[in-house]
């Protein structure tokens, strides 16, 4: 249909009314941040070149209510590299330039410069923020972002108090060296993380699981803490007989994780800012880019403290130390050790167990349902390939390479020489054998864009395949910027017509990040109702660095009021400079 179709008109009316309503109700929530390098010992090993904000690692949390305008004045103090921050899970309605994606929504903020992020948080939930330039997330540029319901409204579940757990993995090798290794010919893999951090705290050189005067079976000594050390464990102070909400988000660069609390069940109630049909678990898996809220009920009487345990899933965990925190009952001493060992993390390659949990996620009754039909469907095949001898990740045999000019500006102003004008393929040959390494291991590199029709319903079938190594397929969590999507279903093997009947159109969960299991497929549906240019990519940091992502553009002609500072580089920068001189 033409751009002036009834669907488009209705969307424009909706967006205009939304802008008016937010302007009437909005309250500014201001922050002044300086991004800088700092040193510290998050896992008891001293490390330079940690990226912090205002001298803090992780960065300071953002707390707001639905309808608030979050205003962040971000000053780059990194000296010799740019920076941006992505507000993960915030849809950026009418502010696509604030999405914080280098070369997509904005130019990197130059050293010494300040950029003003100004956006509305439109939906309650558990979110986080992180760097989106190079591999700065791996260096510690991240923090929590919590959006509460409007004043006077209530969540569909009760709790007496809440805690936030921001999970990350940690390397002792700096990101500059990691990037060089990934770009080498042949590639030098960065290896598994040394430790897992909970709210920026973990233990590598010692363990919490044995007393300070002893060693575990591997000869690692018990930790001796006064409580003031940076790597001392997080302590969650709870009262007996109460109900608590735990907001859990994963900003890991590589690892999939499993979370368990000793002797406590958890009720899943929220995923990526969307309410779930509640169900009880003893532990749950969480992939990079995901967030959950769980409800726990503390024991009526307790003279013990309990372990909160985080371990690696989906990758061999033998080189990565587990992360621990302490659930401390105020009815007992904080220094009292838990009575039992921490809960065991499930086997890293027990994918059947992972799928069993993931398949139980459904939307809370009354949640928005997907349109019954799609207007267009795109198939995206994930493969590992080579380009000019370098190891790359590719989608439909195309590895993403970003340009120096932000897509948002180049598309808005018709700068056709800013990026490849040939769109990437929307499908792949149906005879492709996903169980074997690619017959032609070579791919091409492109900066091309998928141009989506505005006001339509799109399905994307994410198809996982074998990597270059025989018999290996990896987990990939995919994150879509600017949208939530319905997860219609998962399956093993190659997606085919027989799988159409498996798709869930009744109560699929709304998410912004979704996992694809090894040698399997995942189907999502979303509406192109948010004008802008949006990244859709694997949230594993080295995979994105090596090209595992695509760019979606929709309704860019409708975008207004892009700050000049967002477009001050590349061809848009030259255009603006020329206009200033005329």
């Amino acid at each position: 249909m033409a751009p002036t179709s009834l669907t488009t008109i209705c969307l424009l009316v909706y967006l205009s009314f939304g802008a008016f309503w937010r302007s009437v109700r909005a309250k500014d929530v201001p922050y002044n941040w300086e991004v800088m390098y700092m040193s510290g010992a998050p896992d008891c090993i001293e490390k330079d070149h940690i990226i912090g904000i205002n001298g803090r690692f992780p960065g300071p949390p953002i707390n707001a209510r639905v309808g608030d305008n979050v205003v962040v004045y971000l000053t780059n103090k990194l000296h010799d590299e740019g920076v941006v921050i992505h507000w993960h899970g915030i849809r950026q309605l009418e502010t696509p330039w604030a999405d914080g994606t280098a070369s997509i929504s904005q130019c990197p903020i130059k050293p010494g410069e300040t950029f003003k992020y100004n956006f509305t948080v439109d939906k309650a939930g558990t979110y986080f923020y992180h760097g989106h330039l190079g591999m700065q997330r791996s260096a510690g540029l991240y923090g929590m972002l919590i959006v509460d319901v409007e004043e006077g409204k209530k969540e569909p579940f009760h709790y007496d108090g809440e805690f936030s757990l921001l999970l990350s993995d940690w390397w002792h090798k700096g990101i500059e060296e990691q990037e060089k290794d990934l770009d080498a010919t042949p590639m030098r893999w960065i290896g598994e993380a040394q430790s897992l951090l909970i709210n920026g705290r973990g233990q590598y050189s010692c363990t919490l699981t044995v007393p300070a005067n002893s060693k575990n079976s591997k000869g690692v000594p018990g930790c001796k803490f006064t409580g003031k050390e940076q790597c001392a464990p997080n302590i969650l102070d709870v009262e007996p007989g109460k109900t608590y909400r735990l907001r859990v988000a994963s900003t890991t660069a590589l690892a999939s994780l499993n979370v368990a609390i000793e002797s406590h069940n958890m009720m899943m109630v929220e995923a990526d800012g969307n309410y779930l049909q509640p169900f009880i678990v003893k532990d749950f898996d969480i992939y990079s880019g995901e967030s959950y809220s769980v409800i726990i009920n503390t024991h009526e009487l307790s003279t013990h403290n309990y372990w909160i345990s985080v371990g690696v899933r989906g990758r061999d965990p033998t080189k990565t130390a587990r992360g621990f925190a302490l659930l401390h009952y105020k009815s007992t001493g904080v220094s009292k050790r838990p009575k039992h060992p921490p809960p065991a993390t499930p086997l890293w390659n027990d994918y059947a167990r992972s799928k069993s949990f993931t398949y139980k996620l459904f939307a809370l009754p009354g949640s928005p349902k997907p349109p019954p039909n799609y207007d267009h469907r795109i198939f995206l095949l994930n493969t590992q390939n080579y380009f000019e001898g370098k190891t790359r990740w590719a989608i439909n045999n195309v590895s993403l390479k970003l340009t120096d000019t932000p897509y948002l500006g180049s598309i808005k102003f018709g700068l056709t020489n800013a990026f490849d004008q040939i769109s990437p393929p929307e499908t792949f040959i149906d005879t492709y054998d996903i169980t074997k390494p690619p017959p032609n291991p070579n791919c091409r590199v492109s900066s091309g864009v998928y141009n989506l029709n505005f006001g339509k319903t799109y399905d994307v079938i994410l198809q996982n395949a074998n990597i270059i190594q025989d018999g290996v397929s990896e987990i990939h969590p995919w994150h879509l910027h600017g949208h939530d999507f319905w997860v219609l279903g998962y399956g093993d093997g190659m997606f085919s017509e027989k799988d159409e009947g498996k798709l869930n159109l009744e109560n699929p969960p709304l998410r912004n990040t979704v996992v694809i299991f090894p040698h399997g497929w995942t189907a999502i549906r979303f509406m192109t109702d948010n004008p802008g240019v949006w990244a859709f990519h694997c949230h594993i940091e080295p995979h994105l660095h090596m090209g595992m992502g695509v760019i979606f553009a929709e309704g860019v002609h409708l975008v207004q009021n892009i700050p000049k500072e967002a477009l001050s580089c590349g061809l848009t920068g030259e255009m603006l400079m020329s206009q200033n001189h005329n």
Side-chain angles (χ1 to χ4, degrees), residues 535-546:
F536 184 38
H537 62 89
C538 179
H539 209 258
I540 292 175
E541 191 88 315
H543 289 184
L544 176 59
H545 179 81
M546 298 161 68

Side-chain angles (χ1 to χ4, degrees), residues 422-437:
I422 299 176
S423 296
E426 293 189 356
T427 189
F428 56 94
I429 57 172
D430 56 10
T431 57
Y432 190 94
D433 189 345
I434 65 167
T435 65
K436 297 179 180 179

Side-chain angles (χ1 to χ4, degrees), residues 15 22 68-70 72 85-101 105-106 115-123 127-129 145 408 479-484 529-534 559-560:
L15 292 171
R22 284 189 294 275
D68 286 347
N69 290 328
V70 174
V72 179
I85 288 186
H86 169 56
W87 318 96
H88 189 105
I90 305 302
R91 293 181 291 176
Q92 300 297 345
L93 301 175
E94 301 176 40
T95 53
W97 49 266
D99 191 45
T101 46
S105 64
Q106 70 170 109
F115 184 83
K116 179 183 177 182
Y117 287 104
N118 188 348
F119 55 89
T120 301
V121 289
D122 67 300
K123 188 167 57 171
Y127 308 102
F128 61 101
Y129 63 83
L145 196 168
L408 184 63
H479 171 57
L480 178 59
H481 293 229
H483 302 78
D484 283 348
D529 56 2
N530 192 8
V533 183
W534 309 106
V559 176
Q560 303 294 327

Side-chain angles (χ1 to χ4, degrees), residues 13 20 80 103 118 122 126 129 145 152 173 178 188 192 218 230 248 280 290-291 342 354 453 495 502 508 577:
V13 170
F20 168 76
D80 58 357
S103 300
N118 188 348
D122 67 300
T126 303
Y129 63 83
L145 196 168
K173 182 186 294 185
Q178 290 186 41
R188 297 186 295 268
E192 304 304 311
K218 296 181 180 180
Q230 185 180 358
V248 186
I280 302 295
E290 291 187 327
S291 63
S354 300
N453 293 321
F495 182 87
K502 300 178 182 178
M577 186 176 297

Side-chain angles (χ1 to χ4, degrees), residues 43-44 202-226 229 231-233 307 324 337:
D43 66 350
C44 305
Q203 298 80 39
Y204 174 77
S205 59
C206 65
T207 178
L208 297 172
T209 58
V210 298
N213 58 353
S214 62
K215 296 182 179 181
N216 67 8
S217 60
K218 296 181 180 180
V220 180
C223 298
K224 298 179 181 178
F225 287 136
T226 65
E229 296 84 356
C231 58
W307 294 110
F324 298 106
R337 293 182 56 79

